Amino acid sequence: RNNRAMLSKALELLLLGASLLTSTARVTANVYTPCEYQKRVCECPPSFPVCYFRLRIESSRTFSSYQLAPDKEGRLARARGASPVDYHFSGLGTLVPEDGAKGGCATHTEGFSQLNCTEPITLDCRNGSSERVLTLNGITPGPTLISSAGQTIAVDVVNDLSVEISSIHWHGLLQRGTPWMDGVPGVSQCPILPGGSYYYIFNASSAGTFWYHSHTGDQRTKGIYGAFIIRERPDFMIEATARLGRLLGTQNVTVIDTPSEHTAMLLEWAVNGGQTKSGLINGRGASSGTPLSSTRLTVFHVEPGNEGNQYYRFRLVGVQSGSLYRFSISQHKLTIIGTDGNFVEPLRSVDYVFVHTGERYDFLLEPVTPEIANKTQNFLVLAEDMLNNEGSIAAKSPFNAVGVLRYGQGNPSLAEYEYVLNTPSRRCTPQNLCLALNCPFRNYHSDKHINCIPVTQLRLLFPTSPDQVPADPVADQLFFNFALNGENNSPSVNGRNFIFPTGSLQTQPGQPLAKCALGRTSCLNPQECVCSHVHELNNTNQTVQLVLSALDSSGEHSIHLHGHSFHVIAIVYGEYDTDGNLKAPTRDIACNPGDARCTAPGWKSAPTPAAVAPWTVRKDTVVVPAGGYVIIRFRSTNPGWWLMHCHMEADFAGGMAVLFNELSFAHPRPPPALEVLKCGSYVPVPIFASSLRNSHHAGVEDRLVEDKSRESSHSQLACKMQQLNYFYLVFCVVPI
């Protein structure tokens, strides 16, 4: 830890010096942004080239307060070894310590921050519960990180879990030139060991709504996630606002963009082994039976406006494990302006937005007039869990995530909470049809009076440059069927269960891989289909077309591709009966006769070639409808190892993933310190060295001696310099 503290200080000095500014105080305040413990928003001003944040991963308990103390670097953090103080809600709805609680945090007469104590995490306000929750800097969600396009991002992630490995994936960031910063253990990096740390350093090359989360086990839905907002350049935002205004038919349009206040992250919180679930918005919700006095909901504050020229920009992020949320705000229409970090032409009068795990949507909210706000100050923000319930008073369901849109400051009173939570579901009628974006099916039954708009009808506000459009001809066309037909009916892709390498492919080239055999296979031998499912993409700057299907009846799948923002050129659905139920999968794609696992899907009846244009919508996460398929395209221009997987937690854990080795001959070389770091399986070769001399392993012992010598030379190396962008960062190698 002393070595890590020295590294942190060295990096701080380099970041400060790289700013090329004369005012040291100003540099310290604006470049070195450590993201203090329990700080919910960490924003790096746009005038500096480098943003430095620190994230500390810890295990906590709900309804517990922990003592804070200065760490070895003098920054406030959770004190090691200190016992937490448990709290509960009193009858008046205030947090009070349990009877007999002792210690500096066993008080409710002062604010927790004044006592150097953490504020208890209540999540769904399930009084008296004490559930394990993972936190970043003492909170969940983790702090909202805000930077600007073009800045260099340096994030020091410290794993303070006692026995678990971890990592952080920067969801939606392409990591062009820095594939080892993608955050996938076994693919882009070695995992962060307990007590260890990892510096993620990359360029914020694209602006938009992104997020970060653990890419290890179920840590994401246990609390390791947060919003990552990259602001647009001022000149770009001026042009974007002007274009939006013209398309909205409004001059002098004003867009109020405060991501620290108007970002909604949706998650279902599961306890009792997943048997009990509650919906959360930004880590807050209300479980079944929670009294109004104990309700803690996320409140989004806005002010009334003049109709037609003032809008609030909201950002919507799907964090959930597997639920499909239908988002709406009572008595408000939404104007969609972006998805997955890409501006789109405004889609007006949207009542519902379907948000699956991994997806993001930006929308404009037109505030009501002062006259209306004076009559009704609070409105229901609702994310309905479509996989579990649908009722007349949706806010009463424990599965749904609820919040409050409030005109003016302050928090709702108990009476106002009761009014909001009793808001009836939106009424859609033949005379007043509702509009829903991103339905996972072709359309609702006619008696629902809801029209569905697929994401393929969205058009980019800023068209893709013609030389970057993935047009014909297609160099690589690959089919992937996502289904529950793997080993023992487990989640799979083309019948194969993905297993991760034990080393890091990106930083340890030449790692042994138990690759799947491609094409049709019987899977009679488990090793044929329990393997690392890898496809090579070696045609430089050529069009790659992926056909993603879900041909069984297990439901839709939310598919995320790392390293690319792809064009969605077609969504095709299965066959439905008159009641709107899925009757049969699409007939366009077929599995070979006798191929029960569909290990080699392909066209049975190829559709008319889908057109791709500069304005075709781009995403990095797309919903593949049950019984249907999606066609996506991108150009092979980003060398590296890139994972594609279902973002539903259980499906990913079961092996629903595939790996692309893109332009293997052009992979960028990682920084020297990452080449030194090693991970993988241990093989006790030296024990059998004497018997290896005359075996097919001859020479292994010599290589071990050579490797040992190389290790020694590395241990003599204190620091190496790696050029990144236009300044130098230090990577220190600390021998154990």
Side-chain angles (χ1 to χ4, degrees):
R1 290 191 176 275
N2 287 334
N3 286 327
R4 210 188 62 76
M6 292 170 60
L7 171 60
S8 177
K9 290 297 184 183
L11 179 61
E12 175 185 349
L13 292 174
L14 283 166
L15 296 179
L16 300 183
S19 65
L20 305 177
L21 294 176
T22 57
S23 171
T24 303
R26 190 178 177 200
V27 172
T28 302
N30 290 279
V31 176
Y32 183 65
T33 311
C35 210
E36 299 295 346
Y37 203 79
Q38 292 198 109
K39 190 175 182 181
R40 295 197 172 273
V41 179
C42 301
E43 183 165 3
C44 180
S47 56
F48 293 89
V50 182
C51 301
Y52 170 60
F53 306 106
R54 169 173 295 169
L55 299 176
R56 188 184 296 271
I57 300 172
E58 295 171 314
S59 178
S60 303
R61 308 289 299 184
T62 57
F63 286 91
S64 296
S65 179
Y66 295 81
Q67 188 71 56
L68 300 177
D71 62 12
K72 289 187 177 182
E73 297 167 30
R75 300 186 179 93
L76 212 58
R78 205 166 83 185
R80 294 187 173 276
S83 299
V85 174
D86 294 332
Y87 276 75
H88 67 275
F89 284 122
S90 70
L92 298 177
T94 57
L95 284 168
V96 296
E98 297 287 357
D99 294 340
K102 297 179 181 180
C105 296
T107 179
H108 58 280
T109 58
E110 297 182 56
F112 290 97
S113 60
Q114 283 84 356
L115 298 170
N116 279 348
C117 297
T118 65
E119 183 177 349
I121 297 171
T122 59
L123 293 179
D124 61 353
C125 304
R126 197 180 302 274
N127 205 12
S129 69
S130 180
E131 302 287 342
R132 181 174 185 255
V133 60
L134 300 180
T135 59
L136 288 155
N137 294 359
I139 58 176
T140 183
T144 296
L145 306 181
I146 304 176
S147 65
S148 298
Q151 290 180 313
T152 294
I153 310 300
V155 187
D156 178 15
V157 177
V158 181
N159 180 7
D160 270 342
L161 301 177
S162 57
V163 295
E164 295 177 61
I165 63 172
S166 194
S167 67
I168 295 293
H169 170 55
W170 308 93
H171 192 113
L173 272 294
L174 305 186
Q175 298 296 354
R176 193 177 300 277
T178 53
W180 48 83
M181 296 299 174
D182 195 43
V184 182
V187 176
S188 57
Q189 67 169 90
C190 292
I192 309 175
L193 299 178
S197 65
Y198 195 97
Y199 271 93
Y200 292 93
I201 306 173
F202 53 88
N203 186 261
S205 56
S206 302
T209 301
F210 306 98
W211 61 301
Y212 62 92
H213 60 83
S214 171
H215 217 284
T216 305
D218 64 350
Q219 292 179 355
R220 180 185 90 233
T221 53
K222 288 297 183 184
I224 304 183
Y225 68 95
F228 183 31
I229 309 302
I230 303 179
R231 289 187 180 277
E232 296 81 5
R233 301 187 313 273
D235 57 335
F236 180 92
M237 201 58 209
I238 290 173
E239 176 61 23
T241 303
R243 293 191 186 193
L244 290 172
R246 286 195 296 270
L247 292 168
L248 292 170
T250 304
Q251 292 183 344
N252 300 320
V253 64
T254 299
V255 176
I256 300 172
D257 185 10
T258 50
S260 59
E261 299 178 23
H262 300 133
T263 299
M265 308 196 77
L266 310 180
L267 172 68
E268 78 273 59
W269 175 249
V271 297
N272 301 325
Q275 299 301 309
T276 306
K277 293 183 179 181
S278 301
L280 305 178
I281 298 180
N282 294 347
R284 291 188 166 203
S287 63
S288 179
T290 299
L292 288 174
S293 59
S294 302
T295 299
R296 302 287 195 275
L297 299 179
T298 295
V299 179
F300 301 97
H301 294 94
V302 296
E303 296 294 335
N306 297 317
E307 189 173 357
N309 67 348
Q310 178 177 298
Y311 299 88
Y312 285 87
R313 181 181 182 180
F314 276 73
R315 303 163 189 265
L316 194 56
V317 182
V319 179
Q320 64 269 30
S321 170
S323 296
L324 172 63
Y325 281 122
R326 188 176 73 176
F327 181 87
S328 63
I329 300 178
S330 66
Q331 300 183 47
H332 288 74
K333 299 280 190 177
L334 312 180
T335 298
I336 307 301
I337 63 164
T339 181
D340 292 3
N342 299 285
F343 271 107
V344 297
E345 295 181 359
L347 177 65
R348 305 188 71 167
S349 300
V350 174
D351 298 278
Y352 300 109
V353 182
F354 281 89
V355 184
H356 221 312
T357 172
E359 291 191 293
R360 289 94 64 212
Y361 288 93
D362 290 29
F363 65 86
L364 297 181
L365 181 91
E366 184 177 344
V368 300
T369 62
E371 293 75 20
I372 296 176
N374 288 335
K375 296 178 181 178
T376 305
Q377 192 177 5
N378 302 282
F379 297 86
L380 175 66
V381 177
L382 175 64
E384 299 170 85
D385 186 340
M386 304 305 294
L387 301 183
N388 286 293
N389 85 103
E390 190 173 353
S392 59
I393 302 183
K396 291 291 188 180
S397 167
F399 297 106
N400 295 339
V402 295
V404 178
L405 177 72
R406 180 175 175 83
Y407 285 87
Q409 298 305 305
N411 289 315
S413 64
L414 294 185
E416 289 173 324
Y417 264 136
E418 184 170 15
Y419 170 81
V420 170
L421 294 176
N422 281 284
T423 300
S425 296
R426 189 183 299 267
R427 289 181 59 84
C428 305
T429 67
Q431 295 75 32
N432 186 24
L433 293 173
C434 291
L435 188 64
L437 175 66
N438 195 36
C439 302
F441 37 77
R442 180 179 288 112
N443 225 329
Y444 274 91
H445 190 276
S446 58
D447 64 5
K448 296 294 184 181
H449 312 301
I450 302 176
N451 286 335
C452 287
I453 300 293
V455 295
T456 49
Q457 291 193 25
L458 298 175
R459 291 165 54 99
L460 293 176
L461 184 66
F462 292 88
T464 303
S465 173
D467 62 330
Q468 297 178 18
V469 173
D472 291 329
V474 173
D476 293 286
Q477 178 174 248
L478 302 170
F479 290 79
F480 298 104
N481 185 48
F482 297 82
L484 301 183
N485 61 2
E487 194 76 10
N488 299 316
N489 296 318
S490 57
S492 67
V493 181
N494 293 355
R496 297 163 174 84
N497 300 102
F498 187 86
I499 58 173
F500 278 88
T502 57
S504 168
L505 296 176
Q506 198 66 65
T507 59
Q508 296 173 236
Q511 281 290 303
L513 265 179
K515 286 187 179 182
C516 301
L518 302 181
R520 181 177 178 178
T521 180
S522 65
C523 293
L524 294 178
N525 181 350
Q527 279 67 40
E528 291 180 351
C529 293
V530 181
C531 44
S532 295
H533 193 171
V534 177
H535 284 266
E536 306 284 336
L537 300 177
N538 282 324
N539 293 304
T540 305
N541 196 23
Q542 298 299 305
T543 295
V544 178
Q545 177 166 296
L546 306 183
V547 183
L548 314 176
S549 61
L551 300 181
D552 67 357
S553 58
S554 61
E556 78 283 341
H557 295 281
S558 183
I559 306 303
H560 174 50
L561 174 61
H562 294 223
H564 284 280
S565 174
F566 50 76
H567 293 258
V568 185
I569 62 176
I571 298 178
V572 179
Y573 302 91
E575 299 179 10
Y576 297 85
D577 61 23
T578 55
D579 292 326
N581 300 310
L582 181 65
K583 182 175 63 175
T586 175
R587 300 185 185 185
D588 293 348
I589 298 176
C591 307
N592 291 309
D595 187 6
R597 289 201 186 184
C598 198
T599 59
W603 292 125
K604 178 180 181 181
S605 175
T608 302
V612 60
W615 54 81
T616 300
V617 68
R618 299 179 72 162
K619 289 176 64 65
D620 56 62
T621 308
V622 68
V623 178
V624 179
Y629 63 92
V630 175
I631 302 176
I632 66 173
R633 284 187 181 185
F634 59 89
R635 297 187 76 89
S636 50
T637 58
N638 195 9
W641 291 92
W642 305 114
L643 192 68
M644 182 175 72
H645 62 97
C646 181
H647 216 266
M648 301 168 77
E649 205 164 65
D651 287 349
F652 180 45
M656 192 174 279
V658 65
L659 188 60
F660 295 109
N661 184 11
E662 184 172 351
L663 306 181
S664 57
F665 51 86
H667 283 201
R669 183 176 179 179
L674 290 182
E675 292 183 312
V676 173
L677 292 177
K678 301 294 181 183
C679 51
S681 298
Y682 169 63
V683 180
V685 176
I687 296 177
F688 310 102
S690 60
S691 63
L692 293 176
R693 284 297 184 184
N694 299 317
S695 73
H696 66 283
H697 291 290
V700 170
E701 190 178 55
D702 295 333
R703 289 198 298 273
L704 288 173
V705 172
E706 179 185 342
D707 289 345
K708 193 68 179 177
S709 175
R710 188 180 296 112
E711 271 185 30
S712 176
S713 66
H714 283 315
S715 67
Q716 304 301 316
L717 180 63
C719 294
K720 284 188 175 182
M721 306 293 288
Q722 168 69 20
Q723 189 173 16
L724 184 65
N725 296 334
Y726 46 85
F727 69 100
Y728 287 90
L729 293 174
V730 169
F731 294 82
C732 288
V733 181
V734 182
I736 298 176

